[in-house]
Amino acid sequence: MPVSARLACTTLLALGLVACSSRPPVADRPSAGPAAQPVRGGDPFQATSVTIRALGLVGTPYRYGGNTPDSGFDCSGLVTYVFADMLDLRLPRTSRELARVQGPKIAPERLSSGDLVFFGSGADVWHVGIYVGEGRFVHAPSSGGTVRLDALSNPYWQRHYSGAKRVL
């Protein structure tokens, strides 16, 4: 089955899970400091909500400093909007600050929908996206572009991948 078909099936399954769930949202989590806990899977209800919302914003124009669908998004504006809109979870505004959010660091092979993926050079983080499954992430890549779905296996993103965090 092609990756796009698997992603579509996963999204449809996720929609079914959201429709059947009555789990309430959780409160904000701390936004700074190291995490020493073992890596667990994210909350499936929250991860599905974040994933569906992020995918629904594909095609929204890029705008530096943008943080709403009406104004457009930059990378961190997209992330903070999705988490606030779906979960009322307030996250820091820049990709560097997001990289410092408390939560376990995630190895690439353990990524789950809703995890934040970071890109940069050395210790400098300059881009963030939301992992949606099947090796793909949603992000607002650059001026003149739109929010889009990309593969972590793309050579450019592989070269600049700097890690991932689970905040759910």
Side-chain angles (χ1 to χ4, degrees):
M1 180 183 291
V3 172
S4 59
R6 284 195 308 260
L7 186 57
C9 289
T10 302
T11 302
L12 288 174
L13 176 60
L15 284 170
L17 291 173
V18 170
C20 297
S21 178
S22 62
R23 187 176 182 145
V26 299
D28 289 1
R29 302 230 172 140
S31 63
Q37 65 232 30
V39 175
R40 298 181 303 274
D43 179 306
F45 174 77
Q46 291 179 337
T48 299
S49 298
V50 164
T51 299
I52 291 169
R53 185 64 173 133
L55 287 168
L57 293 167
V58 168
T60 303
Y62 176 93
R63 185 174 72 87
Y64 181 77
N67 59 7
T68 69
D70 293 333
S71 68
F73 292 107
D74 65 12
C75 66
S76 57
L78 172 68
V79 169
T80 57
Y81 174 82
V82 168
F83 280 82
D85 187 46
M86 296 311 300
L87 306 175
D88 198 28
L89 180 62
R90 307 295 176 209
L91 294 173
R93 179 59 177 89
T94 69
S95 54
R96 281 186 193 103
E97 291 169 332
L98 284 164
R100 292 190 296 256
V101 167
Q102 182 175 347
K105 292 183 180 179
I106 309 298
E109 64 275 4
R110 308 233 8 231
L111 286 169
S112 292
S113 293
D115 289 344
L116 301 181
V117 288
F118 297 96
F119 305 89
S121 300
D124 186 29
V125 171
W126 41 255
H127 192 64
V128 62
I130 301 170
Y131 186 75
V132 296
E134 299 288 332
R136 295 180 171 225
F137 66 105
V138 172
H139 65 125
S142 63
S143 293
T146 61
V147 173
R148 70 181 191 216
L149 184 64
D150 267 332
L152 287 171
S153 62
N154 173 298
Y156 177 83
W157 298 117
Q158 278 187 332
R159 210 171 29 255
H160 295 288
Y161 182 82
S162 65
K165 287 277 184 104
R166 184 163 296 149
V167 295
L168 300 177

